[in-house]
Every structure is written in structure tokens, then in C-alpha cells.
Amino acid sequence: MDQESVLRAAKLREEINYHNYRYHTLDSPLISDAQFDALVDELRALEAEHPELITPDSPTQRVGGAPAEGFAKVEHPAPILSLDKASSRAELLAWHTRISKLLPEDAPPLSYIVEPKFDGLTVVLHYRQGQLVLGATRGDGLVGEDITANLRTVKTLPLRIPADPDGPQPPPYLVVRGEVLILLEDFDALNARLIEAGAPTGVTPFANPRNAAAGSLRQLDPAITAQRPLHLYAYSIVTADGSVPETQRETLDYLRALGFAQPDEIAFFEDGAGDRRLDAVADYCEQMIARRNTLPYEADGLVVKIDDLATQAALGVVGGRPRGAVAYKFPAQEATTTVVDVEFSVGRTGVITPTALLEPVPIAGVTVSRASLHNFDFIAERDIRIGDRVLVKRAGDVIPYVAGPVVDARDGSQHPIEPPSTCPACGDPVAQPEGEIAYYCINAACPAQLVQKLTYFTHVLDIEGLGERTAVQLVEQHLVEDPADLYFLTKDSLLTLEGFADKKADNLLAAIAQAKDRPFDRVLAALGIRGVGTTVAQVLAEAFPTLDALAEASAEAIAAVEGIGPITAQNILTWFAHVHNRAMVEKLRQAGVKLAAERQAVAADEQPLVDLTFVITGTLSRPRDAVKAWIESLGGKVAGSVSQKTSYLVIGADPGGSKYNRAQALDTPLLTEEQLYALAGIHP
């Protein structure tokens, strides 16, 4: 045996024991689960090759970490073991091959049950005469911590079983194993509350649901635990005085009948020959990898168990791991690495977005070197710094993002991330409007914004042949100052661009010309007003049938439209207030772009409100500008004050006294909004 192997084994034991302590005792890991598993796998391989390297303190000879101080120690009635793992179909089949050799030759085909491998905190619950008397953490698998007072606050944990009086009677003594976790929806709400309370109290949000659950259960004050949205799933019986189910499937049904919550994602496999059953199990595991991000909780894999518990027990335990079950691990979606620097980019609306530049790290099969930091409030809330070791997540195809720093890894060399004072693209000042999270470049002619605005405009209006590369060329050659300039491009100007010849220029000009026929709501969406995408634009186009009507509307009128809030309303007002934007609208008008909703022409003799003049007072169900446009489309007129020429006064909620009094004095007929629609014979 070489000295290098001896030194490496000693180093691995030291690192693994330390990270075990960080994870199980302090609930403050410095590395991800996948990185920890890699260290353990390397040590196992070394010890398999050189058995003489195995020492009593090797992490491979124990189940987990030591109990923390502050809670009474609890000895478990039976070892609370962890599982061997598989991460592929081949490794799952290899597990089956190993256990098959230990079974009698005439043994019937095995049936399997597959359960979620929750990413929470394992707990052991003791019931005597149906009453919860003790709850403990897993600890090192032999001795845990007494957290009974905290567990009593978990609403999904029955204090007495059966929870339903008509349920099955439990044995006099029953010990159940389960997992306490926080559902993802509850986790987001919890962090939102902590962030809101963070300014006055210094509370910081949790990096992930697992840390949140573990930290909540290990509070010395149960009142704090009671405020956390903890959830319990129970999945096995550790021991019992009396008869218990003989299969895992029956065990889960029995626990459910006693009142313990069960996840929906449990699959049972008993049909077909043995090999086909295992193939079906492997197929299911692979399918669940794609579904993992749709689960209501965090799971880092699945647990494949032999359904028959007697067979499980007969297979025994090796290396502290039962042979009758295996953990099928999902590809890691998170890892820890270091923030090397921060890069700032400018979006089409001028928003400055921070992106972390990272030491490259593999996550879910992809090497990640950049990750989103969301915004500067997010950075401040989590106190993320350049030089920090951070937890980076990549869920499915979502862009990787920094979840938070590993504060205990700091050595004093880290420094804060500050918003830039000038735009990284044009050098003009950066501003943060009052009440907003984002920082903006306030230069409307910023080239970075213009490129993004052009590509967004062409995407919404389906202008083929104008991608980002062409947009960059148009901006760099000063051929466009805003998207409306696209309609005034000439063939000669396009031929000056690299890569353009006659056919390509003709095709692009034809595509731009065709875009003039796009409906008004698409044009409105293409303008790039913050908060006004295609769906919101459709709603606005119904309420304000022309761009001029929208431009002249008040913030109150816009916000009154169902689905449009005050922030979007203010964004619209702010957009139309800019001289540059109004100039662009005029260029669009000159180009013949549709700035009004198309309505079917109505014959004069079919206009039910022709020759009628209306005055409106009070608040109607739709913005007043929208009602005015509707009345005019049916031949009527809308005046601002009551006079002898007024045909009707339309009264909404909280009407003004002056118009009402004037109408009373002139005997002007009054209409409710419903009566107005009835008069027209149609609903708008």
C-alpha cells in the first residue's frame, strides 16, 4: 500500500467528519449533498481497495453525525439506518443482482414500492397507548435528540392515534419513522415574511427548505417552531409491541389510517416477471427525474424498497445500510462555489441586472460559471458578497441562481456588491425610482437598451429576418434610434450592413411592411412598456380602443381596468410622458402602423345611440374613456357637462353633486349603467 493512499484516506476522513458535523449538528453545510457524496464514494473506493485503511472513526463505519448539545439524548429502540444509493438504471440493476444472489432460488418474483426521498429532517416518534410521548431526531442513527416539545407544534403530526376514532387501534407501543419538511409553497411564503421582518429584526431568509425545517425543529423555544409551516410524512414502523403489517404497502396504508400524512407520489410494482418489474421501476425513476420540479416538496431522489418486510429483514444489513432498499438519487441541482466577480447588464427597459461570475462548478450535468443574482434588494437581503462561498441552484432548465452565502466560510476577504452609479453600456447615470426595487439607466438612447428593444419589438410583431445580430448592426451604424425607424429603412441603407445582399434586404423590408398589418394590441405590446405584455395589451386594447385614448387616460382610469394594477398604470403614464416615446408613436402613425382597434362598421340606421348626447358622472364598471368610446361607436356623443342638449345623465357609483343637480333642474332623464346598455340593446 502506497503512502499517498494512506494520506488521502486520512484527509478524506477528516473532511467527511467535518462536513458531517456541519450538516447534522450545526445544520449549516458548507458543501452540497452531491459534493459530500463524492467524498464518501472516494473513501469507500479506497477502503475497498485497501481494507487495512478502515479505522474505527471512519465515516463509512457509522450512520451519521453526533447529536447536538442543548437537547437531551435519546437512544433509539433500533438503528435508524441510511440507505445505499444508485444514480442510474445500471446501478439499480446492479443492486437487484446483488440481493438476488442472497435469496432462495425458488423465491417468487419480488414486488417493489417506490417512495419519494424527502429532503427534510428524519424524526422518530414514540407512541404509548396511542399517545405521542417522545419525538427525536435521527442523530447518528443510534442516539438522537429529544425534540418532543417542538414536534408537538407540527400540525400534520397526530398527538394521538388513531386521529379518526373509527381508525385501527395501534399496538400499546409503536415507534414510527418519518420526515419533517416544509412544502415549497410554504417555504416561499415563510421567506417572504422573514425578508419583510428582516429590516427591523435582522432576520435573514433560509437558503433552502431543508435548512428551514432543520433549524425550526431545533429551536430551544417551541413557540418559534410553532410559527414555522412544518409538515410531516410518515413512512415506516421502527418497532412495535404487537402485530403490524407484513408489507411496506400495507404499512403505508396502516399509517395513513392512523392519521399520518402520505405523499401522492408512491408507486407499487407487482405485475409481470421479476425482470420486467424492475424495468418498470427503473422507467418510473427516470420519469420522476423530469417531474421532480413539479413536486410540492424538495426531494433529492426516490427510495426503492422490497415490498415484503420479512424479505427485507432476511437480506440483512451491510456497512450500516439495509440491503432490502436503495436510494435512487436524482442528479444534483445545487452546489457550492465562490463568487469571483459581478457583471452588470442592461435590459430593454433600462433595468440593470446583476449576474454572479463563479468558479465553474458542475450542476445537473452542466458546468455553471454564471448565475443570476435577481436584483440588488435580493443581494442585500441575503448579504451576498464578492468572494463568498455561495449555494447555487439549477432546477431543470431554469437559469442557475445564487440562493445565498455560506456565511461561516467567510475569512474577511469578501466585500459587498454595490449597484453601479453609471450604466455599463453608455456611461450615463443610473437611478432607482422611489418605491421600486430595480435600478435603471435613464438614457433613452442607451445602445444596450435599443438593441434589446429592437429584438423585442420584432419578436412581438413577428418580423422575420431581424435577429440580435442585425439589431446590433442597425444600432452601431446609427440607422435606427427607436423601433419605429425600422419602417423607414431603405434597401440602400440595408446593403451597407455586413452580410446583406439584394435578396436578404428585400426579404427584411417585406417582413417589416407586413408588420404594419398587425392588430393594435400586438403593437401596444411591442412598445415595451414595463408590465404590458401580450395579455395585458389585449385587456388594455378592449378598454382603450386607440393608443391616443390610452395616452390621454388618467392613472385611476387605467388602474380601474380589471387585471391592471396601479404600478402598471403608472408605468404607462411614465412611458407616454417621455418626449422620445411620443415621437416614436408619431413615427409609427406616419408609417401606417395600426394604433387603433379594428371594429366592424355599423350602418347609420343600425346605430342605436345616434343623435343622443350623454354625460357621465360617478364610477362605472369600466373606465370612463372605454364607455365613451363604446357610446361613440354606436353613434352617440359624450359631453363633459349637463346642458339643454343632454339626452341622458348616466349615473355610476359616488356621482358628483353638480351634474346631478343640474340634470334635476333641467329634467334631464337619468340612466344607470345597466339601463344605458339596455337602451343600446347590446352589451359592450
Side-chain angles (χ1 to χ4, degrees), residues 73-203:
K73 294 178 175 61
V74 175
E75 186 173 346
H76 298 307
I80 308 301
L81 303 174
S82 59
L83 297 174
D84 205 354
K85 71 179 191 299
S87 56
S88 66
R89 177 183 289 264
E91 291 181 4
L92 194 60
L93 296 176
W95 164 73
H96 178 260
T97 300
R98 290 195 302 272
I99 62 174
S100 296
K101 294 176 181 178
L102 301 174
L103 297 173
E105 291 185 4
D106 58 350
L110 297 174
S111 295
Y112 305 93
I113 193 163
V114 183
E115 306 165 20
K117 187 178 181 299
F118 304 111
D119 196 8
L121 189 73
T122 299
V123 294
V124 182
L125 310 172
H126 298 242
Y127 287 84
R128 291 193 181 276
Q129 306 302 327
Q131 183 175 343
L132 177 70
V133 295
L134 175 65
T137 64
R138 175 173 172 267
D140 65 358
L142 300 175
V143 177
E145 304 163 344
D146 184 346
I147 56 170
T148 310
N150 289 345
L151 284 171
R152 288 181 181 276
T153 69
V154 180
K155 293 181 174 59
T156 51
L157 191 159
L159 299 179
R160 177 175 288 277
I161 53 175
D164 183 345
D166 296 329
Q169 290 302 309
Y173 177 55
L174 177 69
V175 181
V176 174
R177 177 174 176 174
E179 196 91 358
V180 173
L181 46 79
I182 294 180
L183 302 179
L184 294 175
E185 184 178 10
D186 294 335
F187 174 72
D188 292 338
L190 171 63
N191 259 355
R193 292 198 302 272
L194 293 179
I195 290 170
E196 184 177 354
T201 65
V203 177

Side-chain angles (χ1 to χ4, degrees), residues 188-512:
D188 292 338
L190 171 63
N191 259 355
R193 292 198 302 272
L194 293 179
I195 290 170
E196 184 177 354
T201 65
V203 177
T204 56
F206 291 104
N208 55 59
R210 194 269 169 195
N211 283 3
S216 299
L217 275 182
R218 300 178 70 254
Q219 293 288 330
L220 294 178
D221 182 3
I224 297 177
T225 306
Q227 298 171 12
R228 305 286 169 79
L230 298 170
H231 192 88
L232 170 78
Y233 287 121
Y235 50 82
S236 69
I237 294 174
V238 178
T239 189
D241 288 345
S243 62
V244 292
E246 297 180 353
T247 69
Q248 178 62 13
R249 187 180 191 181
E250 293 170 345
T251 296
L252 294 177
D253 291 340
Y254 178 67
L255 291 172
R256 184 183 295 108
L258 288 176
F260 293 98
Q262 299 287 315
D264 295 331
E265 297 76 21
I266 296 176
F268 183 65
F269 299 87
E270 64 175 346
D271 296 329
D275 291 343
R276 286 204 299 274
R277 290 184 194 178
L278 194 68
D279 279 338
V281 169
D283 289 343
Y284 178 78
C285 291
E286 291 173 348
Q287 292 163 9
M288 285 299 293
I289 293 175
R291 288 182 53 199
R292 66 185 297 188
N293 294 315
T294 67
L295 298 176
Y297 44 77
E298 282 205 343
D300 56 4
L302 301 167
V303 179
V304 180
K305 300 177 180 178
I306 294 174
D307 186 47
D308 184 73
L309 298 178
T311 303
Q312 277 196 37
L315 286 170
V317 176
V318 61
R321 288 168 168 77
R323 292 190 179 98
V326 66
Y328 183 93
K329 299 279 283 186
F330 291 150
Q333 293 193 115
E334 64 180 40
T336 57
T337 187
T338 302
V339 178
V340 177
D341 204 349
V342 175
E343 179 181 86
F344 304 112
S345 58
V346 187
R348 64 179 175 82
T349 59
V351 175
I352 309 295
T353 301
T355 299
L357 305 183
L358 309 168
E359 286 186 358
V361 61
I363 306 177
V366 174
T367 299
V368 174
S369 58
R370 301 163 58 86
S372 171
L373 286 166
H374 299 301
N375 54 59
F376 294 101
D377 271 17
F378 180 86
I379 293 171
E381 287 160 2
R382 286 161 171 74
D383 189 23
I384 302 168
R385 308 177 186 180
I386 294 175
D388 262 339
R389 189 161 190 84
V390 293
L391 179 68
V392 181
K393 292 191 173 186
R394 179 179 180 268
D397 295 327
V398 176
I399 296 172
Y401 67 94
V402 175
V406 182
V407 176
D408 292 341
R410 286 178 177 163
D411 58 10
S413 64
Q414 294 74 22
H415 55 279
I417 299 170
E418 301 290 348
S421 58
T422 58
C423 172
C426 68
D428 271 30
V430 166
Q432 184 184 33
E434 185 176 354
E436 293 201 31
I437 293 174
Y439 285 75
Y440 295 88
C441 169
I442 59 177
N443 177 14
C446 174
Q449 291 183 57
L450 183 50
V451 169
Q452 296 296 321
K453 287 177 180 176
L454 283 177
T455 55
Y456 178 79
F457 188 86
T458 58
H459 170 73
V460 174
L461 295 183
D462 291 331
I463 301 177
E464 295 184 5
L466 207 165
E468 185 172 353
R469 182 170 179 272
T470 299
V472 170
Q473 289 180 293
L474 292 172
V475 172
E476 289 179 345
Q477 297 299 318
H478 304 288
L479 295 178
V480 295
E481 295 181 356
D482 58 47
D485 287 336
L486 292 174
Y487 295 103
F488 299 94
L489 289 172
T490 65
K491 184 174 181 179
D492 288 342
S493 63
L494 288 177
L495 291 176
T496 64
L497 303 180
E498 183 181 352
F500 270 82
D502 286 351
K503 185 175 181 179
K504 185 174 181 179
D506 289 338
N507 288 342
L508 180 54
L509 290 174
I512 293 172

Side-chain angles (χ1 to χ4, degrees), residues 1-18 39 42-44 46-47 50 52-55 57-59:
M1 180 176 57
D2 58 285
Q3 186 66 18
E4 184 179 348
S5 296
V6 174
L7 294 176
R8 182 56 183 164
K11 179 65 173 175
L12 286 169
R13 286 195 296 271
E14 180 183 34
E15 289 185 17
I16 294 168
N17 279 326
Y18 175 70
L39 295 175
E42 184 180 352
L43 180 58
R44 286 187 186 280
L46 268 177
E47 291 178 346
H50 304 290
E52 61 270 31
L53 288 177
I54 300 175
T55 62
D57 67 337
S58 173

